[in-house]
Structures are given as structure tokens and as C-alpha cells.
């Protein structure tokens, strides 16, 4: 059983489809206004022979996360895997950045790590097995102009991954990050795509399936001796 946050678009959706194809029961996280899209994704997974269920919460709402996740684990048991994908960006040069642009990005992207993992970790620890994969970003590794808030949040996630991996290693729970480069999702709308391609050694943008493949490996039994790592999937950027 693998929980995927931010599951309805782009990378999150690709992860759900890939993990279901690999034989995992996928638990699709969605926010309240997206119930119809969540139902559509679950139906698609089931049409393809997979298994999926839904769980509603906003990663930025600590109380909502706790209530939903504690209830789910009490009914269904501990998760095998957690894929922390949900996040937001509010890009602007730092001197023109609004307070809310800073606060919303840090609160959602970084606090979401705590809000989601805190309620689910004790059941995983009691079972002494599991996988946690956190979606960081090339911006968190290298920094990116116009994304001081986003880069800070994604770099913070890398630090959290490395520290939590140390705490959970003795429980046979791995904790890793995947750092995507520029991926063909709605987050790149309005960007100078041709210029970006010229910066990438492979001369193409990544696809959500490229990230899903990396996530799938880190969730698998085959990655049992890999923890505290950041896997960059960026075409050599």
C-alpha cells in the first residue's frame, strides 16, 4: 500500500499509474475540490487491472492530515510506501516577492513533510519496514533565480530526508529524495522551453514517467539498501 500526495496531475499522476502497474495498491491523495478527478484516476487504475483508494486532505493543514491519516491507518494498517509529491510554487524575484508568496511555499512544501509523515511513521516503525520517497527539485540542489522561496523549501526537504533516514535506518525504513529537472507538466507553462532545452545536455525536457520510474525503483524491494540519497533525474543539467 503506497500513499501518493498531490496525485492528480503531472508527476503525482504518473507515479500512481506506474506504482499500480507494478502491483501496489495506490492510495490517491487529493484536496476537497478535486474529488471528481480523483475518482477518474482511481477508475483508470482499476480499468487497467490495478487497485486504488482515495484519501482527502490538504498537506498544508496539519489537523486535517492527522485526522485523515490516523483514521486510514487504523482501518487499513501501516503504509509500505509514502511518496511526498504535493507542493506549490510562487515564482518571483526575491526583492519583489510578497510575504504570502514566501509563507505559502515554505508552509506547504516544507511543513507538508511533517504534516504527512508524523501521523504515519509510528505504524511503519512497528512493522519495521517501508519506503519514503520525497520529491525535491533541481532548484533545491542548485538554486534557481526567481525561486528563492521554492529553492529554500526543496533544499530543506533534502536536509529533512537525510536526517530522517538516519533515524529510521534501524527500523528498515528507507528515506530518499528524487530531484527532478525540468519536466513537461503544467508548472513550466510560460517558460522559454527552447532556451531551457539548450541548457540540458540531453537536449530535451523530462517526462513525468521519467520521474515515476525513479520513484518506483526507490519504493521497490530492490532498493532496500539505498537510503539517505538524492537521485537527480534531470538529463544531466
Amino acid at each position: 500500500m503506497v500513499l501518493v500526495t498531490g496525485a492528480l496531475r503531472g508527476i503525482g499522476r504518473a507515479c500512481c499509474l506506474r506504482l499500480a502497474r507494478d502491483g501496489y495498491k495506490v492510495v490517491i491523495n487529493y484536496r476537497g475540490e478535486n474529488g471528481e478527478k480523483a475518482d477518474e484516476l482511481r477508475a483508470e487504475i482499476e480499468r487497467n487491472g490495478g487497485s486504488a483508494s482515495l484519501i482527502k486532505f490538504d498537506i498544508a493543514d496539519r489537523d486535517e492530515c492527522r485526522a485523515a491519516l490516523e483514521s486510514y491507518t487504523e482501518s487499513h494498517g501501516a503504509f509500505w510506501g509514502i511518496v511526498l509529491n504535493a507542493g506549490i510554487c510562487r515564482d518571483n524575484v526575491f526583492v519583489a516577492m510578497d510575504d504570502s508568496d514566501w509563507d505559502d511555499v515554505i508552509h506547504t512544501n516544507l511543513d507538508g513533510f511533517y504534516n504527512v509523515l508524523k501521523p504515519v511513521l509510528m505504524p511503519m516503525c512497528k512493522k519495521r519496514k517501508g519506503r519514503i520517497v520525497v520529491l525535491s527539485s533541481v532548484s533545491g540542489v542548485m538554486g534557481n533565480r526567481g525561486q528563492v522561496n521554492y529553492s529554500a523549501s526543496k533544499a530543506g526537504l533534502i536536509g529533512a530526508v537525510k536526517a530522517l533516514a538516519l533515524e529510521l535506518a534501524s527500523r528498515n525504513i528507507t528515506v530518499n529524495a528524487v530531484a527532478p529537472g525540468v519536466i513537461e507538466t503544467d508548472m513550466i507553462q510560460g517558460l522559454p522551453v527552447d532556451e531551457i532545452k539548450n541548457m540540458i545536455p540531453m537536449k530535451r525536457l523530462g517526462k513525468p514517467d521519467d520521474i515515476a520510474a525513479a520513484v518506483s525503483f526507490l519504493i521497490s524491494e530492490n532498493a532496500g539498501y539505498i537510503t539517505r540519497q538524492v537521485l537527480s533525474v534531470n538529463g544531466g543539467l
Side-chain angles (χ1 to χ4, degrees), residues 14-221:
C15 287
C16 287
L17 294 171
R18 173 61 186 258
L19 291 167
R21 192 164 72 244
D22 290 344
Y24 300 100
K25 177 181 179 180
V26 177
V27 183
I28 300 167
N29 160 244
Y30 69 100
R31 293 194 302 180
E33 68 271 20
N34 294 322
E36 184 174 343
K37 289 182 178 179
D39 280 328
E40 291 172 356
L41 178 56
R42 176 174 60 180
E44 181 177 352
I45 288 172
E46 292 174 348
R47 281 196 306 272
N48 292 329
S51 175
S53 63
L54 306 181
I55 184 168
K56 182 179 73 171
F57 61 81
D58 182 344
I59 66 164
D61 187 324
R62 184 166 298 162
D63 291 338
E64 187 177 42
C65 286
R66 182 181 296 115
L69 289 165
E70 287 181 350
S71 175
Y72 196 93
T73 54
E74 285 172 7
S75 299
H76 299 88
F79 290 102
W80 161 255
I82 308 291
V83 180
L84 291 179
N85 168 71
I88 63 172
C89 62
R90 298 284 187 271
D91 295 351
N92 207 340
V93 293
F94 188 71
V95 294
M97 188 172 290
D98 292 336
D99 290 350
S100 61
D101 291 338
W102 177 270
D103 292 341
D104 290 348
V105 169
I106 297 297
H107 176 56
T108 301
N109 296 358
L110 199 49
D111 288 358
F113 177 95
Y114 179 89
N115 296 345
V116 174
L117 290 182
K118 190 63 161 50
V120 302
L121 273 185
M122 190 55 71
M124 293 175 72
C125 287
K126 288 178 179 177
K127 284 205 165 185
R128 301 184 69 87
K129 61 181 180 180
R131 304 278 187 268
I132 297 169
V133 181
V134 178
L135 272 295
S136 181
S137 170
V138 66
S139 294
V141 177
M142 300 169 57
N144 191 29
R145 66 180 67 195
Q147 290 192 320
V148 175
N149 51 357
Y150 187 75
S151 295
S153 70
K154 292 298 187 175
L157 287 174
I158 290 173
V161 161
K162 288 182 174 291
L164 186 61
L166 291 174
E167 295 184 9
L168 298 181
S170 65
R171 297 290 193 272
N172 199 33
I173 298 170
T174 66
V175 190
N176 294 288
V178 174
V182 186
I183 308 300
E184 290 180 359
T185 69
D186 56 9
M187 290 185 71
I188 68 166
Q189 289 180 358
L191 296 181
V193 172
D194 290 338
E195 293 180 22
I196 292 170
K197 286 180 180 179
N198 287 331
M199 297 169 57
I200 300 170
M202 294 189 73
K203 301 302 179 186
R204 71 170 178 88
L205 303 184
K207 298 182 182 300
D209 286 345
D210 294 323
I211 309 305
V215 170
S216 175
F217 169 67
L218 291 172
I219 287 289
S220 75
E221 293 279 5

Side-chain angles (χ1 to χ4, degrees), residues 220-232:
S220 75
E221 293 279 5
N222 293 330
Y225 201 54
I226 300 172
T227 195
R228 208 172 175 231
Q229 303 305 306
V230 181
L231 176 56
S232 293

